[in-house]
């Protein structure tokens, strides 16, 4: 567009200025994506190892010659993010979820200046380096997914400032150090997954997280005792395969919604407390591979229990098999293998397998191998056919348990000398 020749120099300059401003306004009107969000997307793409951006992946389609939000799902911006209008003219990034295409690189140089972002999911790629403090700029974030990468270093305390966060996935990385107490400030958090790292130290108090329903800190090197204060909202707790010591704290009985508790593969000891068998909602309890020495019977004898599956295998449990366990109406899977139980198998155990009674769940799994149980096989078990139930009685001191019975398979009975060395258990 030219400038009319009859204009004075000052008028000519003013005309050029007006034309320039008009052009910029038109360009701005055509751009649907806020410029700062475009820069953030460019930062992410530039931070990647280019050799990890394979053809056909989301990021390989990002071509910044075009406007991202205006061309989303076109052949130039096929996937990886979502935009939402925040006013009549401007789109902002509200979700950034990359495909599992094997991207690698470090996030430490990215400013993460995306104030409207609600979801950031980079899971199951090969990102490495530390988790940057700059993620705290994502003040509207409700979901942070960094699972299944190669992040190292410690969990930044600054994550505790993401007050809107509802889901935090840091599992399956190489994170180490203590879990920061600042996570207790995430009052909106519903799900916390930290499993599969090298996190150490004690689990911090998380009692302020009154919306948390899922906690998984398994497969780390967390030590110390189970915190005395846990959110009453919890439905599932998994802290298996750590170095936890002490006993199961009494506050567990106050978690009125708890359905699943897995504390296996730790160093917990003492008695398995009675309140676990009277719990109003607990359905699955796994305490295997610990150092428990006894089982406390509940006052109700378990008749009010909601428990479906119980695993107390590979402990140091002694004495007779607990007589109340067959009285738990919904219990269908019981594993007591590799302990030091002795005495005869109560007929109630056998009846719950073969003839459970009306309104009572049968034992579909009853594993009692690797103990010092003696005497004859209870009569109700003798009529069982293979495939009717998973019953295991191998490696005991039972009288006549030949492998012709499927429940005697998997190992011989202990020798007479070994059985006698344990105590006067042979009638």
């Amino acid at each position: 567009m030219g400038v009319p020749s009859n204009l004075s120099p000052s008028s000519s300059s003013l005309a050029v200025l007006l034309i320039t401003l008009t052009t910029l306004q038109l360009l701005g009107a055509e751009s649907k994506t806020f410029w700062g969000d475009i820069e953030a997307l460019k930062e992410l793409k530039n931070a990647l190892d280019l050799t990890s951006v394979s053809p056909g992946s989301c990021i390989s389609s990002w071509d910044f010659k075009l406007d991202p939000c205006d061309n989303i799902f076109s052949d130039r911006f096929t996937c990886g993010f979502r935009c939402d209008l925040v006013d009549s003219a401007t789109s902002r990034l509200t979700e950034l979820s990359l495909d599992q295409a094997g991207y690698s690189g470090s996030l430490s140089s990215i400013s993460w200046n995306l104030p409207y972002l609600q979801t950031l999911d980079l899971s199951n790629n090969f990102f490495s380096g530390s988790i940057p403090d700059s993620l705290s700029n994502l003040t509207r974030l409700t979901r942070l997914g960094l699972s299944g990468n190669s992040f190292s270093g410690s969990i930044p305390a600054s994550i505790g400032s993401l007050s809107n966060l509802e889901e935090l996935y840091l599992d399956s990385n190489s994170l180490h150090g203590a879990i920061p107490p600042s996570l207790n400030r995430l009052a909106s958090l519903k799900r916390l997954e930290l499993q599969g790292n090298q996190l150490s130290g004690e689990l911090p108090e998380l009692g302020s997280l009154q919306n948390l329903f899922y906690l998984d800190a398994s497969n780390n090197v967390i030590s110390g005792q189970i915190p005395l204060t846990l959110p009453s909202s919890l439905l599932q707790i998994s802290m298996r395969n750590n170095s936890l010591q002490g006993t199961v704290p009494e506050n567990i009985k106050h978690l009125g919604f708890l359905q699943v508790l897995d504390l296996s593969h730790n160093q917990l000891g003492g008695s398995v407390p009675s309140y676990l068998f009277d719990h109003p909602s607990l359905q699955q309890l796994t305490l295997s591979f610990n150092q428990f020495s006894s089982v406390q019977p509940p006052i109700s004898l378990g008749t009010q229990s909601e428990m479906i599956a119980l695993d107390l295998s590979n402990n140091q449990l002694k004495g007779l098999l607990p007589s109340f366990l067959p009285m738990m109406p919904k219990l269908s899977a019981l594993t007591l293998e590799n302990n030091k139980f002795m005495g005869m198998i109560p007929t109630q155990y056998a009846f719950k397998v073969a003839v459970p009674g009306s309104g009572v769940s049968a034992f579909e799994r009853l594993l009692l191998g690797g103990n010092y149980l003696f005497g004859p096989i209870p009569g109700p078990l003798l009529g069982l056919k293979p495939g009717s139930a998973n019953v295991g009685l191998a490696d005991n001191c039972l009288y006549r348990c030949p492998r012709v019975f499927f429940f005697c398979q998997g190992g011989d009975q202990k020798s007479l000398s070994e059985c006698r060395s344990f105590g006067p258990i042979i009638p």
Side-chain angles (χ1 to χ4, degrees), residues 10 67 85 89 102 120 135 137-138 146 154 156 185 192 214 217 257 261-262 269 287 327 357 370 379 387-389 409:
S10 59
D67 179 84
L85 282 173
L120 175 61
L135 289 178
N137 292 332
L138 304 175
L146 302 180
S154 58
R185 301 203 304 264
L192 177 58
Y214 186 95
F257 303 101
L261 178 61
D262 187 349
L287 299 177
M327 301 175 67
S388 59
Q409 298 172 5

Side-chain angles (χ1 to χ4, degrees), residues 203-410:
L203 194 71
E205 294 289 336
L206 299 173
S208 296
L209 307 183
Q210 288 303 310
N211 291 297
L212 190 69
F213 66 85
Y214 186 95
L215 169 62
D216 195 340
S218 302
N219 301 312
N220 283 288
V221 286
I222 299 169
S223 58
Q225 299 189 359
I226 300 169
L228 295 178
T229 304
L230 289 168
S232 59
S233 54
L234 280 165
L235 300 178
Q236 182 168 338
I237 301 174
S238 182
M239 289 189 277
R240 66 182 177 273
N241 195 24
N242 279 287
S243 299
L244 296 171
Q245 298 177 332
T247 59
V248 179
E250 191 172 356
N251 69 305
I252 296 292
K253 71 180 181 181
H254 300 302
L255 306 182
F257 303 101
L258 188 65
Q259 297 178 7
V260 177
L261 178 61
D262 187 349
L263 301 175
S264 59
H265 293 269
N266 279 287
Q267 300 168 25
L268 301 169
S271 294
V272 179
S274 61
Y275 49 78
L276 293 176
F277 306 107
D278 275 331
H279 197 282
S281 60
L282 190 59
Q283 299 177 12
Q284 181 178 325
L285 175 62
T286 307
L287 299 177
S288 55
F289 291 94
N290 277 287
Q291 299 170 12
F292 292 104
S293 57
S294 62
V295 177
Q296 293 179 353
I299 296 175
S300 70
L301 297 179
T303 56
Q304 305 300 316
S305 175
E306 294 292 316
M307 197 170 296
I308 298 172
L310 173 63
D311 188 350
L312 301 178
S313 63
N314 295 279
N315 279 284
Q316 302 293 321
L317 298 173
K318 302 175 182 177
L320 304 177
L321 290 174
S323 60
F324 70 90
L325 292 177
M327 301 175 67
M328 299 170 70
K330 297 184 179 181
L331 188 63
S332 60
L334 176 61
T335 306
L336 300 176
E337 289 182 310
N338 302 320
N339 281 290
K340 297 181 179 180
F341 286 116
M342 55 180 294
M344 299 177 67
I345 300 173
T347 55
Q348 298 97 316
Y349 278 69
F351 275 119
K352 191 168 170 64
V353 176
V355 192
S358 177
V360 177
S361 296
F363 275 147
E364 298 178 5
R365 180 169 71 238
L366 177 62
L367 304 181
L368 303 176
N371 284 287
Y372 291 85
L373 303 172
F374 64 82
I377 299 169
L381 294 181
L382 297 176
L384 290 178
K385 297 181 179 180
S388 59
N390 181 12
V391 179
L393 304 178
D395 191 24
N396 275 292
C397 301
L398 295 168
Y399 177 65
R400 290 184 182 175
C401 192
R403 294 190 180 184
V404 66
F405 296 118
F406 72 92
F407 44 77
C408 293
Q409 298 172 5

